[in-house]
Amino acid sequence: RRAPLTVVYEDDALAVLYKPPHLLCHPDRTGDDSLVEAFQDYLAQKGGYDPQAEASFSPALCNRLDRGTEGLVIGAKSYPALRDMNELIRRDLVRKEYLAITLGAPPQGRHTAWLRHSEAGNKVTVRAAPAEGYKEIITDVSVERTTGPFALCRIGLVTGRTHQIRAHLAFLGAPVLGDVKYGSRKWNERTGFKTQALCAVSLTFGAIPAGSSLFGLCGRTIELQQPRLLSRFAALEALPH
């Protein structure tokens, strides 16, 4: 049986879904459950989608999160919604913000670097200057609270590249706690964090063109209430430092 789907926001065109850590966005070779399948099941049960219908549109996700990252994912119920949301994302009219727990407090402000993704090991490399094969990344960082060696940070994605937040924060000297690829194994083991402490907590829609099927979202912010990450940070605050 699939895990129950948590719907944070829903209208006729789309739904904003909560993806817990460890759940895949899309099926892969593991055969594990995925968010898109849970979304399709949910709509089928409501009568909003018939998977047996000839040439019907399959409800789809408009953005994705790494397996270990939790938070908000946009699901489109129709082809026009998918097309128009993908266009809004492409035109940077959807601002995504995350909460992260980092080891060390990163420098605050807007940071630019260059990132290259390697299929081998599915890892990225970040460097300070442009180079062949590297793409520009821009990340906004503000530190909300600190306790001992840890910081609770709000991260704004200006560009959205593979592993951008995790790799950029590590490059800035403050890796995400629990991150097994770019983080500190010693501190991950010491704190018991087995997956990256990273959560997509808000989506803000900018000046959507009047002709878009999603015009009603113009200027709206959809937020995840009581993200689990806050209680995880409170538990760190309770530790003796």
Side-chain angles (χ1 to χ4, degrees):
R1 239 180 76 68
R2 287 198 215 288
L5 185 71
T6 302
V7 179
V8 176
Y9 167 86
E10 186 172 9
D11 61 27
D12 291 343
L14 53 83
V16 176
L17 314 169
Y18 167 71
K19 185 191 90 66
H22 306 301
L23 183 67
L24 292 163
C25 275
H26 297 100
D28 71 0
R29 61 183 178 275
T30 62
D32 292 347
D33 280 350
S34 70
L35 185 66
V36 72
E37 291 168 309
F39 180 45
Q40 291 168 354
D41 286 354
Y42 166 78
L43 293 178
Q45 284 163 11
K46 285 180 54 173
Y49 165 56
D50 179 5
Q52 262 64 59
E54 195 101 352
S56 73
F57 170 79
S58 295
L61 304 182
C62 307
N63 62 312
R64 62 173 293 279
L65 297 174
D66 296 335
R67 182 165 196 163
T69 300
E70 62 181 314
L72 301 178
V73 176
I74 304 166
K77 298 180 179 183
S78 66
Y79 175 72
L82 179 66
R83 177 198 63 211
D84 290 356
M85 183 57 73
N86 285 343
E87 176 68 6
L88 297 183
I89 291 170
R90 192 183 67 76
R91 292 177 58 189
D92 296 328
L93 292 172
V94 185
R95 179 172 170 84
K96 305 182 185 87
E97 288 199 340
Y98 293 69
L99 285 178
I101 300 173
T102 58
L103 179 59
Q108 302 200 79
R110 175 162 288 188
H111 301 283
T112 300
W114 280 262
L115 172 150
R116 183 177 66 188
H117 180 239
S118 166
E119 293 296 337
N122 187 28
K123 272 191 95 165
V124 302
T125 310
V126 177
R127 50 174 292 151
E132 178 86 26
Y134 283 76
K135 293 176 176 174
E136 186 181 46
I137 56 172
I138 305 170
T139 311
D140 289 335
V141 178
S142 67
V143 176
E144 303 219 321
R145 299 211 303 272
T146 59
T147 181
F150 312 111
L152 178 68
C153 304
R154 185 169 284 270
I155 310 296
L157 271 187
V158 182
T159 56
R161 311 265 183 222
T162 300
H163 297 179
Q164 175 176 326
I165 294 174
R166 297 160 58 192
H168 205 170
L169 285 169
F171 177 75
L172 292 169
V176 176
L177 196 59
D179 191 340
V180 297
K181 279 196 170 162
Y182 308 104
S184 160
R185 175 185 282 185
K186 181 184 85 170
W187 279 100
N188 294 348
E189 287 175 356
R190 192 177 286 187
T191 55
F193 276 62
K194 292 183 169 60
T195 187
Q196 61 258 22
L198 184 61
C199 180
V201 291
S202 83
L203 298 162
T204 299
F205 299 93
I208 299 174
S212 169
S213 67
L214 305 174
F215 180 68
L217 289 170
C218 190
R220 287 196 63 163
T221 295
I222 297 168
E223 286 195 68
L224 182 63
Q225 302 301 317
Q226 308 307 138
R228 206 169 59 101
L229 210 65
L230 294 178
S231 58
R232 296 179 82 189
F233 189 76
L236 292 173
E237 287 180 310
L239 292 175
H241 295 305

